[in-house]
């Protein structure tokens, strides 16, 4: 069975500082990996995705993530955090067309001025 | 292009009452998903539709939950009767194609009193 672990429930960073959110997955084959962001009272917005190829993927809002097969990880990074990045971030793993996504428990990001 | 539309955004009901949620997916998306998101957790799949057919409803509590997607477009999720533990956010998502990129609606926040 597939699973996702986000070890950090809460993270606080200062505005302008760099950010890394951790994600570890368990999946039997080559996974499709996703990062979503959820602002309070909102649905999930797709930040970026990995299917194959280049292990460093770029997303929206200046985010990037790196797929490391040997570590079963797909960590999300941003070089300089903005106050508007404060939200909940979810990592998800899935397979191909029409399959369910399995989500991690989320990491709540708080940004200090 | 319009995104996934859900209504209502909020619903407050007494326990044992029925409740229904509606979802209109992105035009042309054949696959529709209903997820349950409890407070502080990631979404969990309730049911998945391919066109009109429910192809994965293994996580749907069928004693009180039902869903339909009669014309293969919009969908309704119903709970009857609602219990206190059903208080959560109900998210709808849709996808199309082989990459399983799921787009989410804003969700319906249900409070059962």
């Amino acid at each position: 069975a597939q699973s996702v672990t986000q070890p950090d429930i809460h993270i606080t960073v200062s505005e302008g500082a760099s950010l890394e959110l951790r994600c570890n997955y368990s999946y039997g084959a080559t996974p499709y990996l996703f990062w979503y962001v959820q602002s309070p009272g909102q649905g999930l917005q797709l930040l970026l995705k990995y299917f194959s190829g280049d292990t460093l993927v770029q997303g929206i809002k200046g985010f990037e993530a790196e797929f490391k097969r040997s570590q079963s990880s797909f960590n999300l990074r941003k070089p300089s955090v903005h106050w508007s990045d404060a939200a909940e971030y979810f990592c998800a793993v899935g397979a191909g067309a029409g399959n369910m996504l399995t989500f991690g428990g989320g990491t709540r990001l708080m940004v200090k001025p | 292009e319009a995104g996934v539309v859900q209504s209502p955004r909020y619903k407050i009901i007494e326990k044992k009452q029925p409740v229904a949620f509606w979802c209109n997916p992105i035009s042309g998306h054949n696959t529709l998903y209903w997820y349950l998101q409890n407070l502080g957790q990631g979404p969990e799949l309730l049911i998945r539709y391919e066109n009109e057919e429910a192809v994965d409803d293994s996580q749907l509590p069928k004693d009180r939950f039902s869903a339909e997607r009669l014309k293969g477009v919009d969908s309704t999720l119903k709970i009857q009767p609602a219990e206190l533990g059903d208080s959560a956010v109900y998210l709808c998502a849709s996808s199309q194609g082989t990459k399983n990129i799921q787009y989410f609606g804003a969700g319906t926040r249900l409070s059962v009193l």
Side-chain angles (χ1 to χ4, degrees):
Chain A
Q2 56 199 50
S3 66
V4 177
T5 301
Q6 293 180 245
D8 305 304
I9 298 175
H10 294 98
I11 283 185
T12 300
V13 299
S14 297
E15 191 168 16
S18 63
L19 171 70
E20 183 170 26
L21 302 183
R22 295 183 290 165
C23 171
N24 293 99
Y25 68 89
S26 173
Y27 192 73
T30 300
Y32 290 176
L33 293 160
F34 306 83
W35 274 99
Y36 285 86
V37 61
Q38 186 177 36
S39 297
Q42 301 298 315
L44 279 70
Q45 180 184 19
L46 180 66
L47 282 177
L48 48 77
K49 55 197 179 291
Y50 171 79
F51 300 129
S52 64
D54 192 347
T55 57
L56 184 63
V57 294
Q58 303 297 320
I60 62 171
K61 304 184 180 186
F63 286 92
E64 67 178 25
E66 186 171 13
F67 171 59
K68 293 186 177 180
R69 183 187 301 276
S70 61
Q71 298 177 21
S72 297
S73 69
F74 188 56
N75 294 348
L76 181 71
R77 300 194 294 248
K78 187 171 185 178
S80 179
V81 171
H82 188 262
W83 64 266
S84 60
D85 294 324
E88 185 111 27
Y89 291 80
F90 292 95
C91 180
V93 64
N99 282 278
M100 63 178 281
L101 292 180
T102 298
F103 287 85
T107 297
R108 180 166 297 278
L109 173 66
M110 291 173 281
V111 181
K112 293 189 300 184
Chain B
E1 177 182 282
V4 177
V5 179
Q6 290 188 246
S7 68
R9 288 295 314 278
Y10 305 93
K11 189 73 177 180
I12 302 173
I13 61 172
E14 300 277 336
K15 63 180 180 181
K16 301 185 180 180
Q17 294 300 306
V19 64
F21 316 124
W22 177 80
C23 172
N24 190 34
I26 293 173
S27 177
H29 282 197
N30 293 341
T31 310
L32 183 146
Y33 313 77
W34 284 102
Y35 286 88
L36 167 68
Q37 185 178 23
N38 287 306
L39 187 65
Q41 299 182 23
E44 299 175 343
L45 182 72
L46 287 172
I47 189 168
R48 172 170 65 92
Y49 281 93
E50 292 290 342
N51 299 304
E52 302 90 353
E53 182 181 1
V55 296
D56 184 357
D57 62 356
S58 58
Q59 301 303 311
L60 190 72
K62 298 181 183 62
D63 57 335
R64 298 184 299 108
F65 286 65
S66 64
E68 60 184 16
R69 193 185 184 199
L70 293 176
K71 297 183 179 179
V73 181
D74 56 349
S75 176
T76 303
L77 177 68
K78 298 177 181 177
I79 308 174
Q80 183 171 9
E83 298 178 352
L84 296 177
D86 296 330
S87 295
V89 176
Y90 293 82
L91 293 165
C92 179
S94 69
S95 70
Q96 177 68 356
T98 59
K99 297 299 187 183
N100 196 20
I101 300 173
Q102 296 185 23
Y103 297 91
F104 285 79
T108 296
R109 181 175 297 276
L110 174 66
S111 296
V112 182
L113 306 178

